[in-house]
Amino acid sequence: MKKNIGVILAGGSGKRMGENIPKQFLVIAGKTVLEHTLTVFENHPLVDEIALVIAPAHAPMLEQILQVHPFKKLVSVLHGGPERYHSSLSALEAYAHVDCNLLIHDAVRPLVDPRIISDVIRQLEKVNAVNVAVPATDTIIEVDENQEYITCIPDRSRLFHVQTPQGFDRATLQRAFDKALKDPDFQTTDDCGVIKKYLPEEKIRLVHGHPRNIKLTWPEDLAFAEKWLSLNPFNSCYE
């Protein structure tokens, strides 16, 4: 059977948080955000191993964490690049000769429900690409390029907010990136977008996420996460 690799993307700088250190290394509920996220994947019975992608400059902070809290499933520490997709490429290269699924997850989503991880892995038995999302609760508008006027109000019933982990058959994601990197106009914000544009024949299965699975972006997000993790210190009693 394929191995399930949790790929944790932890290379961001987190400037919007207003802190002096990247938000994945901020301490909430007694541990760094990164430790909380790694713990969810470490404890998940269907995850075989973990690959962590960080910026080289953050290696000393990671070393301090691992000296206190080693993770048995963490077998690869990889280096990313200036763009998010460089981190995905790093994982693809590291597992180039492994028949596996890659579960690509933002390090700054420490409240991910283990149920979501299970659902993604199960769907990868049927399809080669899986996205996690929750229904949009607010009306979404599209505006002009100057952000001055509304140009469209899409039907909210078909709009979802994307979360992670996104799951892929490794070889399929590699094929998509092989095509993408030949495109001089290539741009992307997530890996499912690469599949959708460059392998349109591949169906991307939707797994329902959870409103709690937020990406820590603003200071108030930290307060929410701290409260939740303080009440659920083992991060294992989700719905």
Side-chain angles (χ1 to χ4, degrees):
M1 295 183 63
K2 288 183 182 178
K3 297 178 72 173
N4 295 309
I5 314 298
V7 180
I8 311 301
L9 306 186
S13 60
K15 294 179 180 178
R16 283 176 290 183
M17 191 65 74
E19 298 287 346
N20 293 326
I21 63 173
K23 55 191 173 182
Q24 60 269 31
F25 294 104
L26 294 176
V27 175
I28 57 174
K31 297 179 183 177
T32 63
V33 170
L34 178 58
E35 286 175 275
H36 287 294
T37 302
L38 287 171
T39 297
V40 182
F41 284 81
E42 175 84 9
N43 292 341
H44 199 289
L46 299 180
V47 174
D48 296 298
E49 63 183 70
I50 300 170
L52 176 63
V53 188
I54 65 168
H58 300 161
M61 288 186 285
L62 175 62
E63 184 62 30
Q64 290 180 359
I65 290 173
L66 297 181
Q67 287 178 358
V68 177
H69 189 172
F71 293 90
K72 294 180 180 179
K73 291 183 181 180
L74 178 56
V75 300
S76 300
V77 177
L78 311 173
H79 291 160
E83 301 293 337
R84 185 185 189 279
Y85 74 86
H86 290 122
S87 294
S88 299
L89 289 173
S90 182
L92 284 169
E93 181 179 359
Y95 291 93
H97 303 294
V98 181
D99 184 22
C100 63
N101 295 320
L102 301 179
L103 312 177
I104 301 178
H105 185 67
D106 300 321
V108 290
R109 291 186 189 269
L111 304 182
V112 59
D113 189 323
R115 185 272 305 166
I116 297 174
I117 299 174
S118 298
D119 287 352
V120 170
I121 291 172
R122 292 185 182 114
Q123 289 302 326
L124 284 172
E125 297 174 2
K126 308 171 187 177
V127 297
N128 293 321
V130 179
N131 207 346
V132 174
V134 292
T137 56
D138 298 315
T139 296
I140 305 296
I141 61 172
E142 184 177 333
V143 300
D144 63 14
E145 61 183 12
N146 295 321
Q147 300 184 5
E148 293 179 345
Y149 298 99
I150 295 173
T151 60
C152 180
I153 304 178
D155 179 4
R156 188 178 68 189
S157 67
R158 299 183 62 185
L159 299 178
F160 281 67
H161 294 289
V162 171
Q163 300 182 338
T164 63
Q166 295 181 351
F168 306 93
D169 166 67
R170 193 216 65 83
T172 300
L173 186 59
Q174 182 69 66
R175 285 195 295 117
F177 267 108
D178 287 345
K179 291 186 176 183
L181 295 175
K182 296 175 183 177
D183 180 359
D185 298 319
F186 170 57
Q187 294 182 11
T188 188
T189 57
D190 75 340
D191 299 290
C192 276
V194 181
I195 295 283
K196 183 65 176 174
K197 182 172 183 178
Y198 296 98
L199 294 181
E201 70 278 9
E202 289 286 348
K203 292 185 177 180
I204 303 174
R205 180 75 185 203
L206 173 66
V207 161
H208 284 267
H210 195 290
R212 189 171 52 243
N213 184 24
I214 62 172
K215 184 177 182 180
L216 303 184
T217 305
W218 307 106
E220 53 267 31
D221 297 334
L222 285 177
F224 173 81
E226 173 122 34
K227 182 176 181 180
W228 175 261
L229 291 168
S230 296
L231 294 172
N232 302 274
F234 301 107
N235 216 359
S236 61
C237 50
Y238 292 178
E239 299 169 1

